[in-house]
Short mmCIF file of all heavy atoms in Angstrom, two decimals:
data_model
loop_
_atom_site.label_atom_id
_atom_site.label_comp_id
_atom_site.label_asym_id
_atom_site.label_seq_id
_atom_site.Cartn_x
_atom_site.Cartn_y
_atom_site.Cartn_z
N HIS K 391 83.07 -6.48 24.57
CA HIS K 391 82.77 -5.51 25.63
C HIS K 391 82.48 -6.24 26.93
O HIS K 391 83.00 -5.89 27.99
CB HIS K 391 81.57 -4.67 25.24
CG HIS K 391 81.91 -3.54 24.34
ND1 HIS K 391 82.60 -2.45 24.76
CD2 HIS K 391 81.66 -3.34 23.04
CE1 HIS K 391 82.76 -1.62 23.75
NE2 HIS K 391 82.20 -2.14 22.69
N ALA K 392 81.63 -7.27 26.82
CA ALA K 392 81.27 -8.00 28.03
C ALA K 392 82.49 -8.70 28.60
O ALA K 392 82.70 -8.74 29.81
CB ALA K 392 80.19 -9.01 27.71
N ARG K 393 83.31 -9.21 27.70
CA ARG K 393 84.53 -9.88 28.12
C ARG K 393 85.42 -8.90 28.89
O ARG K 393 85.97 -9.22 29.94
CB ARG K 393 85.24 -10.39 26.88
CG ARG K 393 86.53 -11.08 27.14
CD ARG K 393 86.30 -12.53 27.49
NE ARG K 393 87.55 -13.11 27.89
CZ ARG K 393 87.70 -13.88 28.94
NH1 ARG K 393 86.66 -14.17 29.69
NH2 ARG K 393 88.85 -14.39 29.24
N LEU K 394 85.51 -7.71 28.33
CA LEU K 394 86.31 -6.70 28.99
C LEU K 394 85.72 -6.35 30.34
O LEU K 394 86.43 -6.18 31.34
CB LEU K 394 86.36 -5.47 28.09
CG LEU K 394 87.29 -4.33 28.43
CD1 LEU K 394 88.64 -4.86 28.81
CD2 LEU K 394 87.41 -3.41 27.26
N GLY K 395 84.37 -6.27 30.39
CA GLY K 395 83.72 -6.01 31.66
C GLY K 395 84.03 -7.10 32.66
O GLY K 395 84.32 -6.82 33.83
N GLU K 396 84.00 -8.35 32.19
CA GLU K 396 84.32 -9.46 33.09
C GLU K 396 85.73 -9.32 33.64
O GLU K 396 85.97 -9.50 34.84
CB GLU K 396 84.20 -10.79 32.33
CG GLU K 396 82.77 -11.22 32.07
CD GLU K 396 82.70 -12.30 31.02
OE1 GLU K 396 83.70 -12.98 30.77
OE2 GLU K 396 81.62 -12.45 30.42
N LEU K 397 86.64 -8.95 32.73
CA LEU K 397 88.02 -8.80 33.18
C LEU K 397 88.13 -7.70 34.22
O LEU K 397 88.83 -7.85 35.24
CB LEU K 397 88.93 -8.46 31.99
CG LEU K 397 89.27 -9.61 31.07
CD1 LEU K 397 90.11 -9.11 29.93
CD2 LEU K 397 90.03 -10.65 31.85
N GLN K 398 87.43 -6.58 33.95
CA GLN K 398 87.51 -5.47 34.90
C GLN K 398 86.94 -5.90 36.25
O GLN K 398 87.48 -5.55 37.30
CB GLN K 398 86.69 -4.28 34.38
CG GLN K 398 87.00 -3.89 32.97
CD GLN K 398 87.92 -2.70 32.91
OE1 GLN K 398 88.53 -2.36 33.91
NE2 GLN K 398 88.05 -2.11 31.75
N TYR K 399 85.86 -6.66 36.18
CA TYR K 399 85.24 -7.12 37.44
C TYR K 399 86.19 -8.02 38.20
O TYR K 399 86.37 -7.89 39.41
CB TYR K 399 83.94 -7.84 37.11
CG TYR K 399 83.25 -8.42 38.32
CD1 TYR K 399 82.63 -7.58 39.23
CD2 TYR K 399 83.24 -9.78 38.55
CE1 TYR K 399 82.01 -8.09 40.35
CE2 TYR K 399 82.62 -10.31 39.66
CZ TYR K 399 82.00 -9.46 40.57
OH TYR K 399 81.40 -9.96 41.67
N MET K 400 86.81 -8.92 37.44
CA MET K 400 87.77 -9.83 38.09
C MET K 400 88.92 -9.04 38.69
O MET K 400 89.37 -9.31 39.80
CB MET K 400 88.31 -10.83 37.09
CG MET K 400 87.37 -11.97 36.82
SD MET K 400 88.17 -13.22 35.84
CE MET K 400 87.50 -12.88 34.25
N ALA K 401 89.38 -8.05 37.93
CA ALA K 401 90.49 -7.24 38.43
C ALA K 401 90.08 -6.50 39.70
O ALA K 401 90.86 -6.37 40.64
CB ALA K 401 90.93 -6.24 37.36
N ALA K 402 88.82 -6.04 39.72
CA ALA K 402 88.38 -5.28 40.87
C ALA K 402 88.23 -6.17 42.09
O ALA K 402 88.53 -5.75 43.21
CB ALA K 402 87.05 -4.60 40.56
N SER K 403 87.78 -7.40 41.87
CA SER K 403 87.53 -8.24 43.03
C SER K 403 88.73 -9.10 43.37
O SER K 403 88.66 -9.93 44.27
CB SER K 403 86.30 -9.11 42.80
OG SER K 403 86.31 -9.62 41.50
N ALA K 404 89.81 -8.91 42.63
CA ALA K 404 91.00 -9.68 42.96
C ALA K 404 91.54 -9.20 44.30
O ALA K 404 91.47 -8.01 44.61
CB ALA K 404 92.07 -9.48 41.90
N PRO K 405 92.05 -10.13 45.12
CA PRO K 405 92.62 -9.70 46.39
C PRO K 405 93.84 -8.83 46.11
O PRO K 405 94.62 -9.11 45.21
CB PRO K 405 93.00 -11.02 47.06
CG PRO K 405 93.13 -12.00 45.96
CD PRO K 405 92.15 -11.57 44.92
N GLY K 406 93.97 -7.79 46.88
CA GLY K 406 95.14 -6.95 46.69
C GLY K 406 94.86 -5.73 45.85
O GLY K 406 95.72 -4.87 45.73
N ALA K 407 93.66 -5.67 45.24
CA ALA K 407 93.33 -4.47 44.49
C ALA K 407 93.04 -3.35 45.49
O ALA K 407 92.25 -3.53 46.41
CB ALA K 407 92.13 -4.71 43.61
N ALA K 408 93.69 -2.24 45.32
CA ALA K 408 93.48 -1.13 46.23
C ALA K 408 92.06 -0.60 46.07
O ALA K 408 91.41 -0.82 45.03
CB ALA K 408 94.49 -0.03 45.96
N ASN K 409 91.56 0.05 47.08
CA ASN K 409 90.17 0.46 47.06
C ASN K 409 89.88 1.41 45.90
O ASN K 409 88.90 1.25 45.18
CB ASN K 409 89.81 1.12 48.39
CG ASN K 409 88.31 1.13 48.58
OD1 ASN K 409 87.63 0.33 47.96
ND2 ASN K 409 87.83 2.02 49.41
N GLY K 410 90.76 2.35 45.71
CA GLY K 410 90.54 3.33 44.65
C GLY K 410 90.52 2.68 43.28
O GLY K 410 89.62 2.91 42.47
N SER K 411 91.52 1.81 43.03
CA SER K 411 91.59 1.22 41.69
C SER K 411 90.45 0.24 41.49
O SER K 411 89.95 0.09 40.37
CB SER K 411 92.93 0.52 41.51
OG SER K 411 92.98 -0.62 42.32
N SER K 412 90.01 -0.41 42.59
CA SER K 412 88.92 -1.36 42.42
C SER K 412 87.65 -0.62 42.02
O SER K 412 86.88 -1.08 41.18
CB SER K 412 88.73 -2.14 43.71
OG SER K 412 87.42 -2.06 44.16
N GLN K 413 87.44 0.56 42.60
CA GLN K 413 86.27 1.36 42.21
C GLN K 413 86.35 1.76 40.75
O GLN K 413 85.36 1.73 40.02
CB GLN K 413 86.22 2.62 43.06
CG GLN K 413 85.62 2.38 44.41
CD GLN K 413 84.50 3.36 44.70
OE1 GLN K 413 84.54 4.48 44.22
NE2 GLN K 413 83.54 2.93 45.47
N LYS K 414 87.56 2.11 40.32
CA LYS K 414 87.73 2.51 38.93
C LYS K 414 87.38 1.36 38.00
O LYS K 414 86.66 1.52 37.01
CB LYS K 414 89.20 2.90 38.75
CG LYS K 414 89.46 3.83 37.60
CD LYS K 414 90.93 4.17 37.53
CE LYS K 414 91.73 2.96 37.12
NZ LYS K 414 93.17 3.09 37.34
N TYR K 415 87.87 0.17 38.36
CA TYR K 415 87.57 -1.00 37.54
C TYR K 415 86.06 -1.26 37.50
O TYR K 415 85.50 -1.54 36.44
CB TYR K 415 88.26 -2.24 38.10
CG TYR K 415 89.73 -2.32 37.75
CD1 TYR K 415 90.67 -2.65 38.71
CD2 TYR K 415 90.16 -2.11 36.46
CE1 TYR K 415 92.01 -2.74 38.40
CE2 TYR K 415 91.49 -2.19 36.14
CZ TYR K 415 92.42 -2.51 37.11
OH TYR K 415 93.73 -2.61 36.79
#
Side-chain angles (χ1 to χ4, degrees):
Chain K
H391 278 289
R393 179 84 187 135
L394 189 45
E396 286 164 21
L397 284 178
Q398 309 260 15
Y399 177 71
M400 281 189 258
S403 42
N409 199 22
S411 70
S412 126
Q413 279 232 329
K414 203 179 69 194
Y415 281 135

